[in-house]
Amino acid sequence: MSSGYHTTWKVPSEHREDPAYRAAGRRMDFAQAVYDRRSALGWSTAELARRAGMSEEDIESIEESGVDPTLELLEQLATALESGARIDPRTSPEFRFEGHAA
């Protein structure tokens, strides 16, 4: 049984400012936001792909943090996810997809 040696990570401040570190964090936040909204809607990756006009492999790549979030992609997914997109680099996570008010 694991004793939790890696329950938290200590990242030196100089690494947090590295552009590659920040880009990886954005991809991870974006991936989580897509997954969270898709799951909240009860959709499969295939259903989101169909609604977004993308391939299932594209959606899987996004959810595996393999895609940089662009404005065009955010707009495309927000429409498909029937939501608005919120981006705030001062918070963690930076990305959220929020359902429209009824």
Side-chain angles (χ1 to χ4, degrees):
M1 173 154 257
S2 173
S3 61
Y5 289 113
H6 294 287
T7 56
T8 61
W9 291 93
K10 305 268 191 232
V11 178
S13 59
E14 64 271 13
H15 290 228
R16 291 181 189 277
E17 299 307 316
D18 181 86
Y21 180 87
R22 303 260 315 133
R26 281 191 299 274
R27 286 191 302 272
M28 290 170 57
D29 286 352
F30 180 54
Q32 190 66 52
V34 172
Y35 173 81
D36 289 347
R37 181 64 181 155
R38 178 181 65 76
S39 296
L41 292 167
W43 294 350
S44 66
T45 54
E47 178 64 14
L48 177 53
R50 184 187 68 76
R51 290 173 179 258
M54 302 171 81
S55 72
E56 190 171 358
E57 292 78 19
D58 290 338
I59 300 300
E60 289 169 354
S61 183
I62 290 167
E63 290 187 1
E64 292 170 355
S65 304
V67 176
D68 286 318
T70 63
L71 182 56
E72 293 80 12
L73 183 56
L74 284 164
E75 290 172 338
Q76 182 179 5
L77 287 172
T79 300
L81 290 165
E82 301 172 353
S83 63
R86 180 175 298 248
I87 305 166
D88 188 347
R90 298 168 298 170
T91 64
S92 182
E94 289 185 27
F95 294 99
R96 288 185 184 83
F97 288 101
E98 300 171 344
H100 299 296

